[in-house]
PDB file of all heavy atoms in Angstrom:
ATOM      1  N   LEU A  53      54.109   6.498   7.323  1.00 97.00           N
ATOM      2  CA  LEU A  53      53.196   5.424   7.713  1.00 97.00           C
ATOM      3  C   LEU A  53      53.931   4.090   7.559  1.00 97.00           C
ATOM      4  O   LEU A  53      54.476   3.814   6.490  1.00 97.00           O
ATOM      5  CB  LEU A  53      51.968   5.417   6.798  1.00 97.00           C
ATOM      6  CG  LEU A  53      51.025   6.608   6.905  1.00 97.00           C
ATOM      7  CD1 LEU A  53      49.923   6.502   5.841  1.00 97.00           C
ATOM      8  CD2 LEU A  53      50.402   6.667   8.294  1.00 97.00           C
ATOM      9  N   PRO A  54      53.950   3.280   8.609  1.00 96.00           N
ATOM     10  CA  PRO A  54      54.623   1.964   8.464  1.00 96.00           C
ATOM     11  C   PRO A  54      53.820   1.004   7.589  1.00 96.00           C
ATOM     12  O   PRO A  54      52.597   1.133   7.473  1.00 96.00           O
ATOM     13  CB  PRO A  54      54.691   1.447   9.900  1.00 96.00           C
ATOM     14  CG  PRO A  54      53.649   2.179  10.661  1.00 96.00           C
ATOM     15  CD  PRO A  54      53.392   3.483   9.959  1.00 96.00           C
ATOM     16  N   VAL A  55      54.542   0.063   6.989  1.00 96.00           N
ATOM     17  CA  VAL A  55      53.867  -1.013   6.244  1.00 96.00           C
ATOM     18  C   VAL A  55      53.244  -1.948   7.279  1.00 96.00           C
ATOM     19  O   VAL A  55      53.918  -2.432   8.177  1.00 96.00           O
ATOM     20  CB  VAL A  55      54.875  -1.786   5.371  1.00 96.00           C
ATOM     21  CG1 VAL A  55      54.246  -3.052   4.807  1.00 96.00           C
ATOM     22  CG2 VAL A  55      55.395  -0.902   4.244  1.00 96.00           C
ATOM     23  N   ARG A  56      51.954  -2.193   7.129  1.00 95.00           N
ATOM     24  CA  ARG A  56      51.258  -3.060   8.099  1.00 95.00           C
ATOM     25  C   ARG A  56      51.295  -4.513   7.610  1.00 95.00           C
ATOM     26  O   ARG A  56      51.421  -5.433   8.400  1.00 95.00           O
ATOM     27  CB  ARG A  56      49.820  -2.585   8.224  1.00 95.00           C
ATOM     28  CG  ARG A  56      49.014  -3.399   9.203  1.00 95.00           C
ATOM     29  CD  ARG A  56      47.546  -3.144   9.048  1.00 95.00           C
ATOM     30  NE  ARG A  56      47.215  -1.768   9.370  1.00 95.00           N
ATOM     31  CZ  ARG A  56      46.035  -1.222   9.095  1.00 95.00           C
ATOM     32  NH1 ARG A  56      45.098  -1.928   8.468  1.00 95.00           N
ATOM     33  NH2 ARG A  56      45.793   0.034   9.418  1.00 95.00           N
ATOM     34  N   ALA A  57      51.188  -4.686   6.314  1.00 95.00           N
ATOM     35  CA  ALA A  57      51.197  -6.056   5.769  1.00 95.00           C
ATOM     36  C   ALA A  57      51.606  -6.005   4.304  1.00 95.00           C
ATOM     37  O   ALA A  57      51.152  -5.125   3.570  1.00 95.00           O
ATOM     38  CB  ALA A  57      49.810  -6.684   5.889  1.00 95.00           C
ATOM     39  N   ALA A  58      52.453  -6.940   3.926  1.00 97.00           N
ATOM     40  CA  ALA A  58      52.787  -7.082   2.496  1.00 97.00           C
ATOM     41  C   ALA A  58      52.201  -8.411   2.048  1.00 97.00           C
ATOM     42  O   ALA A  58      52.625  -9.474   2.498  1.00 97.00           O
ATOM     43  CB  ALA A  58      54.288  -7.053   2.297  1.00 97.00           C
ATOM     44  N   LEU A  59      51.187  -8.353   1.224  1.00 97.00           N
ATOM     45  CA  LEU A  59      50.443  -9.534   0.777  1.00 97.00           C
ATOM     46  C   LEU A  59      50.733  -9.750  -0.700  1.00 97.00           C
ATOM     47  O   LEU A  59      51.271  -8.862  -1.367  1.00 97.00           O
ATOM     48  CB  LEU A  59      48.945  -9.298   1.015  1.00 97.00           C
ATOM     49  CG  LEU A  59      48.609  -8.929   2.461  1.00 97.00           C
ATOM     50  CD1 LEU A  59      47.192  -8.396   2.568  1.00 97.00           C
ATOM     51  CD2 LEU A  59      48.808 -10.136   3.364  1.00 97.00           C
ATOM     52  N   ASP A  61      48.787  -9.554  -3.175  1.00 98.00           N
ATOM     53  CA  ASP A  61      48.059  -8.625  -4.061  1.00 98.00           C
ATOM     54  C   ASP A  61      48.237  -7.163  -3.705  1.00 98.00           C
ATOM     55  O   ASP A  61      47.850  -6.294  -4.489  1.00 98.00           O
ATOM     56  CB  ASP A  61      46.569  -8.981  -4.083  1.00 98.00           C
ATOM     57  CG  ASP A  61      45.921  -8.838  -2.715  1.00 98.00           C
ATOM     58  OD1 ASP A  61      46.558  -9.235  -1.716  1.00 98.00           O
ATOM     59  OD2 ASP A  61      44.803  -8.317  -2.636  1.00 98.00           O
ATOM     60  N   ARG A  62      48.761  -6.839  -2.521  1.00 98.00           N
ATOM     61  CA  ARG A  62      48.926  -5.421  -2.171  1.00 98.00           C
ATOM     62  C   ARG A  62      49.863  -5.249  -0.981  1.00 98.00           C
ATOM     63  O   ARG A  62      49.990  -6.153  -0.153  1.00 98.00           O
ATOM     64  CB  ARG A  62      47.577  -4.776  -1.849  1.00 98.00           C
ATOM     65  CG  ARG A  62      46.913  -5.350  -0.626  1.00 98.00           C
ATOM     66  CD  ARG A  62      45.474  -4.841  -0.457  1.00 98.00           C
ATOM     67  NE  ARG A  62      44.932  -5.271   0.815  1.00 98.00           N
ATOM     68  CZ  ARG A  62      44.431  -6.482   1.061  1.00 98.00           C
ATOM     69  NH1 ARG A  62      44.392  -7.397   0.112  1.00 98.00           N
ATOM     70  NH2 ARG A  62      43.975  -6.789   2.260  1.00 98.00           N
ATOM     71  N   VAL A  63      50.481  -4.054  -0.917  1.00 98.00           N
ATOM     72  CA  VAL A  63      51.223  -3.673   0.285  1.00 98.00           C
ATOM     73  C   VAL A  63      50.329  -2.681   1.022  1.00 98.00           C
ATOM     74  O   VAL A  63      49.936  -1.651   0.459  1.00 98.00           O
ATOM     75  CB  VAL A  63      52.572  -3.014  -0.069  1.00 98.00           C
ATOM     76  CG1 VAL A  63      53.287  -2.544   1.187  1.00 98.00           C
ATOM     77  CG2 VAL A  63      53.453  -3.992  -0.849  1.00 98.00           C
ATOM     78  N   GLU A  64      50.013  -3.024   2.269  1.00 97.00           N
ATOM     79  CA  GLU A  64      49.094  -2.180   3.047  1.00 97.00           C
ATOM     80  C   GLU A  64      49.857  -1.358   4.066  1.00 97.00           C
ATOM     81  O   GLU A  64      50.619  -1.910   4.860  1.00 97.00           O
ATOM     82  CB  GLU A  64      48.172  -3.116   3.837  1.00 97.00           C
ATOM     83  CG  GLU A  64      46.722  -3.019   3.478  1.00 97.00           C
ATOM     84  CD  GLU A  64      45.934  -4.035   4.299  1.00 97.00           C
ATOM     85  OE1 GLU A  64      45.947  -3.932   5.539  1.00 97.00           O
ATOM     86  OE2 GLU A  64      45.371  -4.931   3.666  1.00 97.00           O
ATOM     87  N   PHE A  65      49.658  -0.054   4.026  1.00 97.00           N
ATOM     88  CA  PHE A  65      50.257   0.824   5.037  1.00 97.00           C
ATOM     89  C   PHE A  65      49.201   1.097   6.108  1.00 97.00           C
ATOM     90  O   PHE A  65      48.004   0.886   5.880  1.00 97.00           O
ATOM     91  CB  PHE A  65      50.657   2.157   4.407  1.00 97.00           C
ATOM     92  CG  PHE A  65      51.720   2.041   3.347  1.00 97.00           C
ATOM     93  CD1 PHE A  65      51.379   1.674   2.049  1.00 97.00           C
ATOM     94  CD2 PHE A  65      53.049   2.302   3.647  1.00 97.00           C
ATOM     95  CE1 PHE A  65      52.352   1.567   1.067  1.00 97.00           C
ATOM     96  CE2 PHE A  65      54.033   2.193   2.663  1.00 97.00           C
ATOM     97  CZ  PHE A  65      53.682   1.827   1.369  1.00 97.00           C
ATOM     98  N   ASP A  66      49.643   1.597   7.244  1.00 96.00           N
ATOM     99  CA  ASP A  66      48.673   2.092   8.229  1.00 96.00           C
ATOM    100  C   ASP A  66      47.813   3.153   7.556  1.00 96.00           C
ATOM    101  O   ASP A  66      48.255   3.798   6.589  1.00 96.00           O
ATOM    102  CB  ASP A  66      49.414   2.707   9.432  1.00 96.00           C
ATOM    103  CG  ASP A  66      49.749   1.638  10.472  1.00 96.00           C
ATOM    104  OD1 ASP A  66      49.379   0.467  10.255  1.00 96.00           O
ATOM    105  OD2 ASP A  66      50.382   1.992  11.488  1.00 96.00           O
ATOM    106  N   GLY A  67      46.618   3.322   8.048  1.00 93.00           N
ATOM    107  CA  GLY A  67      45.761   4.377   7.488  1.00 93.00           C
ATOM    108  C   GLY A  67      45.040   3.943   6.226  1.00 93.00           C
ATOM    109  O   GLY A  67      44.467   4.783   5.517  1.00 93.00           O
ATOM    110  N   GLY A  68      45.087   2.637   5.924  1.00 94.00           N
ATOM    111  CA  GLY A  68      44.312   2.134   4.782  1.00 94.00           C
ATOM    112  C   GLY A  68      44.894   2.469   3.419  1.00 94.00           C
ATOM    113  O   GLY A  68      44.227   2.317   2.400  1.00 94.00           O
ATOM    114  N   VAL A  69      46.153   2.900   3.378  1.00 97.00           N
ATOM    115  CA  VAL A  69      46.798   3.197   2.093  1.00 97.00           C
ATOM    116  C   VAL A  69      47.360   1.893   1.520  1.00 97.00           C
ATOM    117  O   VAL A  69      47.913   1.082   2.276  1.00 97.00           O
ATOM    118  CB  VAL A  69      47.931   4.233   2.283  1.00 97.00           C
ATOM    119  CG1 VAL A  69      48.642   4.518   0.982  1.00 97.00           C
ATOM    120  CG2 VAL A  69      47.376   5.500   2.909  1.00 97.00           C
ATOM    121  N   CYS A  70      47.220   1.692   0.216  1.00 98.00           N
ATOM    122  CA  CYS A  70      47.728   0.453  -0.405  1.00 98.00           C
ATOM    123  C   CYS A  70      48.555   0.743  -1.647  1.00 98.00           C
ATOM    124  O   CYS A  70      48.244   1.649  -2.422  1.00 98.00           O
ATOM    125  CB  CYS A  70      46.566  -0.451  -0.831  1.00 98.00           C
ATOM    126  SG  CYS A  70      45.670  -1.149   0.541  1.00 98.00           S
ATOM    127  N   LEU A  71      49.579  -0.081  -1.826  1.00 98.00           N
ATOM    128  CA  LEU A  71      50.368  -0.081  -3.057  1.00 98.00           C
ATOM    129  C   LEU A  71      49.932  -1.317  -3.825  1.00 98.00           C
ATOM    130  O   LEU A  71      49.919  -2.429  -3.275  1.00 98.00           O
ATOM    131  CB  LEU A  71      51.850  -0.167  -2.687  1.00 98.00           C
ATOM    132  CG  LEU A  71      52.880  -0.112  -3.791  1.00 98.00           C
ATOM    133  CD1 LEU A  71      52.855   1.246  -4.493  1.00 98.00           C
ATOM    134  CD2 LEU A  71      54.276  -0.347  -3.203  1.00 98.00           C
TER     135      LEU A  71
END
Side-chain angles (χ1 to χ4, degrees):
L53 293 175
V55 169
R56 180 195 296 168
L59 305 167
D61 63 319
R62 65 189 188 280
V63 176
E64 243 178 61
F65 297 82
D66 273 358
V69 178
C70 291
L71 183 65

